[in-house]
Amino acid sequence: MAAPIEEQLSGVERLSYFNSSSSSNGSLSITVTFEPGTNVDQAVFNVNNRVQIALPRLPDDVRRNGVIVQKRSFDILLVVALVSPNNQRDTLFLSNFASLNVVDELKRLPGLADVTIFGARDYSMRVWVQPTRWRASA
């Protein structure tokens, strides 16, 4: 899936290099790095134009879900720590609280590109299915 986009990115002005990584859930991330002094807004515009050219060559599911081009800096400007008074809540609770209540609010702040939860943890559930009972109910 990355090949059509990578082919188009090769011609972007002042591009130093790019790195692609995909995950088991089907998502793909391409990080594009530019030469120092590059106008970031112009670079995002150029990358977006190249992605739009590659879009017809991508699978239908990808086009349906969309492709996002966003500028991002890996400089950490601020770190916020959530703590629980008297250790009433564990890190799983705090991580979930931040995901549900804090991240979206921070992303709405003007000039903020992205928010990352370091050491993020998610609630999970393990389900065991008894195939014979499952077939009987179907």
Side-chain angles (χ1 to χ4, degrees):
M1 178 177 83
I5 296 175
E6 290 174 346
E7 288 172 15
Q8 289 299 320
L9 289 178
S10 296
V12 174
E13 184 180 335
R14 299 189 59 124
L15 174 106
S16 291
Y17 62 92
F18 59 86
N19 181 31
S20 303
S21 63
S22 59
S23 66
S24 60
N25 69 2
S27 65
L28 170 72
S29 176
I30 301 176
T31 303
V32 181
T33 304
F34 291 92
E35 296 171 3
T38 301
N39 180 325
V40 178
D41 293 325
Q42 184 63 46
V44 169
F45 180 78
N46 292 342
V47 168
N48 194 43
N49 284 344
R50 294 299 183 117
V51 168
Q52 294 305 314
I53 292 169
L55 215 51
R57 294 180 51 207
L58 297 176
D60 290 337
D61 287 342
V62 174
R63 287 186 296 205
R64 198 172 315 115
N65 288 325
V67 177
I68 299 169
V69 176
Q70 64 183 28
K71 61 183 172 181
R72 186 172 197 188
S73 171
F74 290 102
D75 296 336
I76 297 174
L77 299 178
L78 176 68
V79 175
V80 176
L82 293 180
V83 294
S84 174
N86 302 322
N87 292 323
Q88 292 174 330
R89 306 291 186 191
D90 62 0
T91 56
L92 178 60
F93 178 90
L94 293 174
S95 178
N96 186 60
F97 180 85
S99 295
L100 296 175
N101 300 298
V102 179
V103 170
D104 288 339
E105 294 296 323
L106 289 176
K107 284 184 176 181
R108 289 187 190 107
L109 294 174
L112 200 68
D114 198 11
V115 175
T116 302
I117 299 177
F118 293 111
R121 299 179 62 197
D122 293 318
Y123 285 106
S124 61
M125 182 182 304
R126 183 173 290 172
V127 178
W128 285 273
V129 178
Q130 294 178 337
T132 54
R133 294 179 93 185
W134 192 14
R135 274 189 234 119
S137 66

Short mmCIF file of all heavy atoms in Angstrom, two decimals, residues 36-64:
data_model
loop_
_atom_site.label_atom_id
_atom_site.label_comp_id
_atom_site.label_asym_id
_atom_site.label_seq_id
_atom_site.Cartn_x
_atom_site.Cartn_y
_atom_site.Cartn_z
N PRO A 36 16.92 21.32 6.64
CA PRO A 36 16.76 22.47 7.54
C PRO A 36 16.46 23.74 6.75
O PRO A 36 16.99 23.94 5.65
CB PRO A 36 18.11 22.58 8.25
CG PRO A 36 18.71 21.21 8.13
CD PRO A 36 18.20 20.66 6.83
N GLY A 37 15.58 24.57 7.30
CA GLY A 37 15.23 25.82 6.64
C GLY A 37 14.07 25.72 5.68
O GLY A 37 13.66 26.71 5.08
N THR A 38 13.52 24.53 5.51
CA THR A 38 12.38 24.34 4.61
C THR A 38 11.13 24.98 5.20
O THR A 38 10.88 24.87 6.40
CB THR A 38 12.12 22.84 4.38
OG1 THR A 38 13.30 22.25 3.83
CG2 THR A 38 10.97 22.61 3.42
N ASN A 39 10.37 25.67 4.38
CA ASN A 39 9.09 26.23 4.80
C ASN A 39 8.13 25.06 5.05
O ASN A 39 7.74 24.37 4.12
CB ASN A 39 8.54 27.16 3.72
CG ASN A 39 7.21 27.78 4.09
OD1 ASN A 39 6.37 27.16 4.74
ND2 ASN A 39 7.03 29.01 3.66
N VAL A 40 7.76 24.86 6.30
CA VAL A 40 6.97 23.69 6.69
C VAL A 40 5.60 23.72 6.03
O VAL A 40 5.12 22.68 5.55
CB VAL A 40 6.84 23.62 8.23
CG1 VAL A 40 5.97 22.44 8.64
CG2 VAL A 40 8.20 23.52 8.87
N ASP A 41 4.95 24.86 5.99
CA ASP A 41 3.62 24.94 5.38
C ASP A 41 3.67 24.58 3.89
O ASP A 41 2.81 23.87 3.39
CB ASP A 41 3.02 26.33 5.57
CG ASP A 41 2.71 26.62 7.03
OD1 ASP A 41 2.33 25.67 7.75
OD2 ASP A 41 2.88 27.78 7.46
N GLN A 42 4.69 25.06 3.20
CA GLN A 42 4.85 24.73 1.78
C GLN A 42 5.14 23.24 1.61
O GLN A 42 4.64 22.59 0.70
CB GLN A 42 5.97 25.57 1.15
CG GLN A 42 6.13 25.36 -0.33
CD GLN A 42 4.90 25.77 -1.13
OE1 GLN A 42 4.33 26.85 -0.90
NE2 GLN A 42 4.45 24.95 -2.06
N ALA A 43 5.95 22.69 2.51
CA ALA A 43 6.28 21.26 2.44
C ALA A 43 5.04 20.40 2.64
O ALA A 43 4.84 19.42 1.92
CB ALA A 43 7.34 20.93 3.48
N VAL A 44 4.18 20.77 3.60
CA VAL A 44 2.94 20.02 3.82
C VAL A 44 2.06 20.11 2.58
O VAL A 44 1.46 19.12 2.15
CB VAL A 44 2.19 20.55 5.07
CG1 VAL A 44 0.79 19.96 5.16
CG2 VAL A 44 2.97 20.25 6.32
N PHE A 45 1.99 21.27 1.98
CA PHE A 45 1.20 21.47 0.76
C PHE A 45 1.74 20.57 -0.36
O PHE A 45 0.97 19.89 -1.04
CB PHE A 45 1.26 22.95 0.36
CG PHE A 45 0.49 23.26 -0.88
CD1 PHE A 45 -0.89 23.38 -0.86
CD2 PHE A 45 1.15 23.45 -2.09
CE1 PHE A 45 -1.61 23.66 -2.00
CE2 PHE A 45 0.45 23.73 -3.24
CZ PHE A 45 -0.94 23.84 -3.20
N ASN A 46 3.06 20.55 -0.53
CA ASN A 46 3.67 19.73 -1.58
C ASN A 46 3.43 18.24 -1.34
O ASN A 46 3.11 17.49 -2.27
CB ASN A 46 5.17 20.00 -1.68
CG ASN A 46 5.47 21.39 -2.19
OD1 ASN A 46 4.61 22.04 -2.79
ND2 ASN A 46 6.67 21.87 -1.94
N VAL A 47 3.58 17.79 -0.10
CA VAL A 47 3.36 16.38 0.22
C VAL A 47 1.89 16.02 -0.01
O VAL A 47 1.59 14.98 -0.59
CB VAL A 47 3.78 16.08 1.68
CG1 VAL A 47 3.28 14.71 2.12
CG2 VAL A 47 5.29 16.16 1.82
N ASN A 48 0.98 16.88 0.42
CA ASN A 48 -0.44 16.62 0.22
C ASN A 48 -0.78 16.50 -1.26
O ASN A 48 -1.56 15.62 -1.66
CB ASN A 48 -1.29 17.70 0.88
CG ASN A 48 -2.73 17.30 0.98
OD1 ASN A 48 -3.06 16.17 1.33
ND2 ASN A 48 -3.62 18.22 0.65
N ASN A 49 -0.20 17.36 -2.08
CA ASN A 49 -0.43 17.28 -3.53
C ASN A 49 0.06 15.94 -4.08
O ASN A 49 -0.61 15.32 -4.91
CB ASN A 49 0.26 18.43 -4.26
CG ASN A 49 -0.49 19.72 -4.10
OD1 ASN A 49 -1.65 19.75 -3.71
ND2 ASN A 49 0.19 20.82 -4.39
N ARG A 50 1.22 15.48 -3.63
CA ARG A 50 1.76 14.21 -4.10
C ARG A 50 0.91 13.03 -3.63
O ARG A 50 0.71 12.07 -4.36
CB ARG A 50 3.20 14.02 -3.62
CG ARG A 50 4.17 15.02 -4.21
CD ARG A 50 4.22 14.88 -5.73
NE ARG A 50 5.19 15.75 -6.30
CZ ARG A 50 6.26 15.34 -6.97
NH1 ARG A 50 6.48 14.07 -7.17
NH2 ARG A 50 7.09 16.22 -7.47
N VAL A 51 0.38 13.11 -2.42
CA VAL A 51 -0.49 12.05 -1.90
C VAL A 51 -1.78 12.00 -2.72
O VAL A 51 -2.28 10.93 -3.05
CB VAL A 51 -0.79 12.25 -0.40
CG1 VAL A 51 -1.92 11.35 0.07
CG2 VAL A 51 0.47 12.01 0.41
N GLN A 52 -2.31 13.16 -3.09
CA GLN A 52 -3.52 13.21 -3.90
C GLN A 52 -3.30 12.58 -5.27
O GLN A 52 -4.20 11.95 -5.82
CB GLN A 52 -4.02 14.66 -4.06
CG GLN A 52 -4.49 15.29 -2.76
CD GLN A 52 -5.55 14.48 -2.05
OE1 GLN A 52 -6.51 14.02 -2.66
NE2 GLN A 52 -5.38 14.28 -0.76
N ILE A 53 -2.10 12.73 -5.81
CA ILE A 53 -1.78 12.10 -7.09
C ILE A 53 -1.76 10.58 -6.94
O ILE A 53 -2.20 9.84 -7.82
CB ILE A 53 -0.41 12.61 -7.62
CG1 ILE A 53 -0.53 14.09 -8.01
CG2 ILE A 53 0.08 11.78 -8.79
CD1 ILE A 53 0.80 14.76 -8.30
N ALA A 54 -1.26 10.09 -5.80
CA ALA A 54 -1.15 8.64 -5.56
C ALA A 54 -2.49 8.02 -5.17
O ALA A 54 -2.66 6.81 -5.28
CB ALA A 54 -0.12 8.38 -4.47
N LEU A 55 -3.44 8.81 -4.72
CA LEU A 55 -4.71 8.30 -4.19
C LEU A 55 -5.44 7.34 -5.11
O LEU A 55 -5.90 6.28 -4.65
CB LEU A 55 -5.61 9.48 -3.81
CG LEU A 55 -6.51 9.33 -2.61
CD1 LEU A 55 -5.76 8.85 -1.39
CD2 LEU A 55 -7.21 10.63 -2.31
N PRO A 56 -5.56 7.61 -6.42
CA PRO A 56 -6.28 6.67 -7.29
C PRO A 56 -5.64 5.28 -7.36
O PRO A 56 -6.31 4.31 -7.69
CB PRO A 56 -6.24 7.34 -8.66
CG PRO A 56 -6.02 8.78 -8.38
CD PRO A 56 -5.20 8.82 -7.14
N ARG A 57 -4.36 5.17 -7.02
CA ARG A 57 -3.67 3.88 -7.08
C ARG A 57 -3.75 3.11 -5.76
O ARG A 57 -3.23 2.00 -5.66
CB ARG A 57 -2.21 4.10 -7.45
CG ARG A 57 -2.07 4.65 -8.88
CD ARG A 57 -0.65 4.88 -9.28
NE ARG A 57 0.20 3.72 -9.05
CZ ARG A 57 1.51 3.81 -8.83
NH1 ARG A 57 2.10 4.99 -8.82
NH2 ARG A 57 2.22 2.73 -8.62
N LEU A 58 -4.40 3.69 -4.75
CA LEU A 58 -4.52 3.03 -3.45
C LEU A 58 -5.78 2.18 -3.41
O LEU A 58 -6.74 2.42 -4.14
CB LEU A 58 -4.56 4.08 -2.34
CG LEU A 58 -3.31 4.95 -2.20
CD1 LEU A 58 -3.51 6.01 -1.14
CD2 LEU A 58 -2.10 4.09 -1.87
N PRO A 59 -5.83 1.17 -2.53
CA PRO A 59 -7.02 0.32 -2.42
C PRO A 59 -8.27 1.11 -2.04
O PRO A 59 -8.17 2.17 -1.40
CB PRO A 59 -6.65 -0.66 -1.30
CG PRO A 59 -5.16 -0.64 -1.24
CD PRO A 59 -4.74 0.73 -1.67
N ASP A 60 -9.42 0.59 -2.41
CA ASP A 60 -10.69 1.26 -2.13
C ASP A 60 -10.89 1.55 -0.65
O ASP A 60 -11.37 2.62 -0.28
CB ASP A 60 -11.87 0.44 -2.65
CG ASP A 60 -11.93 0.41 -4.17
OD1 ASP A 60 -11.37 1.34 -4.80
OD2 ASP A 60 -12.54 -0.52 -4.72
N ASP A 61 -10.52 0.61 0.21
CA ASP A 61 -10.69 0.81 1.65
C ASP A 61 -9.88 2.00 2.14
O ASP A 61 -10.33 2.77 3.00
CB ASP A 61 -10.26 -0.44 2.43
CG ASP A 61 -11.26 -1.57 2.29
OD1 ASP A 61 -12.41 -1.30 1.90
OD2 ASP A 61 -10.88 -2.73 2.57
N VAL A 62 -8.70 2.17 1.61
CA VAL A 62 -7.85 3.30 2.01
C VAL A 62 -8.48 4.61 1.55
O VAL A 62 -8.57 5.57 2.31
CB VAL A 62 -6.43 3.15 1.43
CG1 VAL A 62 -5.59 4.38 1.72
CG2 VAL A 62 -5.77 1.90 1.97
N ARG A 63 -8.94 4.65 0.32
CA ARG A 63 -9.58 5.88 -0.18
C ARG A 63 -10.84 6.20 0.60
O ARG A 63 -11.13 7.35 0.88
CB ARG A 63 -9.88 5.75 -1.67
CG ARG A 63 -8.64 5.83 -2.52
CD ARG A 63 -8.99 5.85 -3.95
NE ARG A 63 -9.63 4.57 -4.27
CZ ARG A 63 -9.66 4.03 -5.46
NH1 ARG A 63 -9.13 4.66 -6.47
NH2 ARG A 63 -10.23 2.88 -5.67
N ARG A 64 -11.59 5.17 0.97
CA ARG A 64 -12.82 5.37 1.72
C ARG A 64 -12.53 5.93 3.11
O ARG A 64 -13.20 6.83 3.59
CB ARG A 64 -13.58 4.05 1.84
CG ARG A 64 -15.02 4.20 2.19
CD ARG A 64 -15.80 2.88 2.10
NE ARG A 64 -15.52 2.10 0.91
CZ ARG A 64 -14.92 0.90 0.90
NH1 ARG A 64 -14.55 0.33 2.02
NH2 ARG A 64 -14.71 0.27 -0.23
#
